[in-house]
Amino acid sequence: MRRLLISVALAACVAACGQPASQTAASSESPAPAAAPAAPAPDTAALQAAIAALPAPYNEATYEAGRRVFAQCRSCHTIEAGAPNRVGPNLHGVFGREIGSLEGFNYSQAVQDANFVWDAAQLDNWLANPQTFLPGNRMAFAGVRNETQRRDLIAYLMVESATAP
Ligand code: HEC
């Protein structure tokens, strides 16, 4: 669990952990590391434990399976906090976020006109078939038709986007 918290807190850490323990002489150039520390080796047990704490049916998902499904999204989406947008918007914190609301991303008119907050049910519909769910959107992705794969993917997104449901 501690490992997971560390990875979840990584973004905050990037901002704060470079600070020296003693805050006395906050010089202009503190030796903050140029890059984020190497990601900790994935602690599969802790991540799977985080999955088990999700609401049903996501508590039955497999983290590793979800991670593999997310490989289909990675070419277009990052999920890490503060990571850049690619062809699609960064997905960190997507749960509880108004659709089409990530600052600085140029959404299609269809997405801009939609009006709901992302939750597991909306994501399930979107991911099953993006084009029928929201015609005219610009996500060039056929969808994940397999229900179990969607469950695993959404559980993975819940854990990785670090928003407790
Ligand atoms: C070919 C690139 C591509 C792939 C692959 C892709 N997406 Fe997207 N995604 C986009 C684009 C582009 C948008 C913005 C759509 C728009 O504005 O119409 C988007 C939007 C989204 C949104 C809405 C975000 C918001 O801020 O409202 C979610 C959620 C999402 N994608 C999840 C996924 C997931 C999960 C996968 C993998 C199963 C995936 N996408 C695969 C390109 C992609």
Side-chain angles (χ1 to χ4, degrees), residues 70-157:
F70 190 70
Q72 299 176 44
C73 325
R74 276 221 177 264
S75 54
C76 298
H77 291 285
T78 54
I79 181 119
E80 300 77 13
N85 298 325
R86 292 190 179 148
V87 173
N90 172 259
L91 293 179
H92 194 82
V94 68
F95 293 93
R97 188 162 94 193
E98 170 75 24
I99 181 173
S101 67
L102 193 67
E103 194 115 348
F105 186 81
N106 185 21
Y107 292 97
S108 66
Q109 197 60 46
V111 164
Q112 289 180 44
D113 290 347
N115 185 23
F116 63 83
V117 168
W118 285 117
D119 60 14
Q122 299 282 23
L123 265 173
D124 191 58
N125 290 326
W126 167 261
L127 295 174
N129 193 332
Q131 288 309 323
T132 56
F133 176 72
L134 191 63
N137 84 76
R138 215 188 301 124
M139 175 155 124
F141 181 71
V144 178
R145 298 297 153 87
N146 182 289
E147 219 173 290
T148 306
Q149 285 190 353
R150 281 205 308 282
R151 179 200 67 188
D152 291 345
L153 172 62
I154 290 170
Y156 171 86
L157 291 172

Side-chain angles (χ1 to χ4, degrees), residues 25-41:
S27 76
S28 51
E29 220 54 55
S30 71

Side-chain angles (χ1 to χ4, degrees), residues 12-23 25-27 30-33:
C13 191
V14 168
C17 293
Q19 302 298 322
S22 90
Q23 293 290 327
S27 76
S30 71

